[in-house]
Amino acid sequence: MSTSTIDQLRDAELSYRTTLVGGAVGAFLLIALLGLLFPSSIWASLLGIITSRSTLSSALRLSVPITFAALGGIFAEKSGVINIGLEGLLIISAFTAVITTAVIGPGTVIFTVPVVGVSLTAIWIGFFAGILVSVLFSAIFAVVCIRYKADQIIAGLAVWLIALGLAPFVSTVYYGGVNTENLGTSLGTWAIPVLSEIPFFGALFSAGPAVYMMLVAVPASWFILNRTAFGRHIRASGENPKALDTVGVDVSRVRYAGALLSGFLSGIGGSALSLGLGQFIGTNQTMVNGKGFIAIVAYLFGNYNPLGAFGASFLFAGLDAVQIRLQQVQGYTLPDSLIQTIPYITVIVILAFVGRTYIPSAAGEHYDSGEDNR
């Protein structure tokens, strides 16, 4: 890209962030003003919900699967592989995590003492099993797309549909229904002394382990993409694979790495989703319920920036947490089905006003390197 093009992209991204932050702050100030002026109105109830510690805690927890899937999607698409199978990766990892924990739980031995019931060790084994299966699905997806040059959109849809059918099917065979039994326990909460007692922001220091992983993974992903040689290779593979090939870097290998990272990160999100609840729900669209597709919107919304993708994920999750609490407010006649649409409508409106997303130039395009031709 030329210097002028890079400058234009930077200016556009700065304008994008300014609009996003300005819009969020403006919306909050408007709600706060209306809530203070009309203390008996729904605006006062909304202000109370937004500023409550439980809402922040719920928003962080709901952000986890979306954020991890979005980070995975960024690595894949930045490398030139469009992975719209994120929804399927979340489903299969969520199911695998629960069923693995349930199967090995009662047999776990700690210091030669057999543990009766599901132990924390079994839960963590299930957590990593979910990640492993998600990576395996991603590996198959990568081979089909990179080695055999299949259409990436169709392959991604296939991953989603296979997972959507396979997980409830295995659950039915094993449990007799599409929903697994409840493990009776979850990943638990890690509370940091003193800091967890802080009003409102204390929710940041009293959360599940997956939330802490997310808060580390977001800046780490940004650093890897923007400050390391591997990140430069990922970005070059999606923007100009020929140039990358010219300097002797194997484009296919970089793209495999991007696709596998999408499976690894989505696996964390899926395992955290089901083990946070202690159960896999396979009804209808499963408990994942479109979070993989929302993750795609989140990283597009964040313009392929991990920090922006997290902001978008947190925005959606925060709105989701607010609408859940709004349904519990007495005295208002708004239908629940209408309140449930608030996150989706808000995101669509913001997407319409924020601006355009710059998709990697070679995303979705197959590339034959010199090495492949020999």
Side-chain angles (χ1 to χ4, degrees), residues 38-303:
F38 307 101
S40 299
S41 68
I42 192 171
W43 298 107
S45 300
L46 188 57
L47 179 62
I49 291 172
I50 292 174
T51 55
S52 75
R53 172 175 168 146
S54 62
T55 301
L56 176 60
S57 180
S58 297
L60 288 170
R61 178 173 49 80
L62 294 170
S63 298
V64 169
I66 303 174
T67 300
F68 274 109
L71 294 178
I74 289 174
F75 276 104
E77 198 155 331
K78 277 282 189 181
S79 73
V81 179
I82 299 174
N83 186 357
I84 67 166
L86 299 175
E87 177 84 357
L89 299 178
L90 287 176
I91 293 172
I92 202 65
S93 56
F95 174 73
T96 303
V98 170
I99 196 169
T100 303
T101 302
V103 168
I104 69 171
T108 302
V109 177
I110 300 178
F111 297 118
T112 71
V113 178
V115 176
V116 178
V118 178
S119 69
L120 194 58
T121 304
I123 291 177
W124 280 107
I125 293 173
F127 185 86
F128 290 110
I131 297 173
L132 178 62
V133 171
S134 177
V135 171
L136 288 175
F137 265 64
S138 296
I140 296 170
F141 167 77
V143 169
V144 168
C145 293
I146 299 172
R147 177 69 180 85
Y148 296 102
K149 299 181 175 54
D151 186 286
Q152 295 175 7
I153 303 298
I154 294 174
L157 285 173
V159 169
W160 169 47
L161 293 173
I162 290 171
L164 185 62
L166 184 61
F169 171 74
V170 177
S171 178
T172 302
V173 171
Y174 191 80
Y175 291 101
V178 294
N179 302 334
T180 69
E181 294 179 358
N182 198 311
L183 298 174
T185 185
S186 66
L187 288 168
T189 300
W190 293 354
I192 300 176
V194 181
L195 294 176
S196 61
E197 302 301 324
I198 299 173
F200 187 67
F201 291 106
L204 288 166
F205 308 103
S206 181
V211 171
Y212 295 115
M213 290 182 197
M214 175 182 70
L215 296 178
V216 172
V218 170
S221 297
W222 181 90
F223 182 84
I224 290 170
L225 275 173
N226 296 284
R227 293 289 185 271
T228 67
F230 175 70
R232 287 194 294 274
H233 293 168
I234 286 280
R235 288 185 283 127
S237 177
E239 293 289 352
N240 193 341
K242 186 175 182 179
L244 188 64
D245 192 20
T246 302
V247 298
V249 177
D250 189 327
V251 174
S252 294
R253 188 172 296 177
V254 173
R255 291 187 168 183
Y256 275 119
L260 292 176
L261 270 173
S262 72
F264 176 78
L265 291 165
S266 298
I268 296 176
S271 294
L273 176 64
S274 60
L275 291 178
L277 182 65
Q279 184 184 19
F280 174 80
I281 300 172
T283 309
N284 299 322
Q285 296 299 306
T286 78
M287 67 192 304
V288 175
N289 195 26
K291 291 180 174 59
F293 296 115
I294 294 169
I296 294 173
V297 175
Y299 72 71
L300 292 173
F301 189 34
N303 221 1

